[in-house]
Amino acid sequence: LTEVFNLDQKHLTAWSMFGQMHLEKEEWGAAQKKFERILENVDKKDTFSMVALGNLYYNAKFEKKEKEE
């Protein structure tokens, strides 16, 4: 991924893979930042990033409820 970013800072697939890697490692905050970066700087209408963020927000809501109980 580093090589791709050296060539193109706005490479959509590379940023998506980077975000997905964070999701798989359960690094929620880092994943959120990557998908937000895609929507802010690369493609404002990227469906994958929107769905990934929606899933993060949805899961965070239920995780918070579980902690309160």
Side-chain angles (χ1 to χ4, degrees):
L1 289 176
T2 305
E3 291 178 28
V4 173
F5 291 133
N6 288 336
L7 296 172
D8 183 2
Q9 284 289 315
K10 293 187 174 189
H11 195 283
L12 178 61
T13 304
W15 280 109
S16 296
M17 290 174 62
F18 204 15
Q20 186 63 35
M21 178 190 70
H22 286 299
L23 287 176
E24 290 176 14
K25 295 169 81 176
E26 297 183 1
E27 299 170 346
W28 313 124
Q32 178 180 343
K33 287 179 183 178
K34 300 306 181 280
F35 293 120
E36 287 174 346
R37 186 183 198 308
I38 290 170
L39 295 173
E40 291 171 6
N41 300 319
V42 180
D43 182 355
K44 293 178 170 105
K45 296 180 181 180
D46 180 56
T47 305
F48 183 81
S49 295
M50 287 186 221
V51 171
L53 283 172
N55 287 335
L56 280 166
Y57 300 150
Y58 180 81
N59 288 327
K61 179 180 178 179
F62 286 102
E63 186 176 298
K64 182 179 178 183
K65 282 184 180 180
E66 288 176 5
K67 287 182 181 178
E68 290 175 355
E69 294 175 356

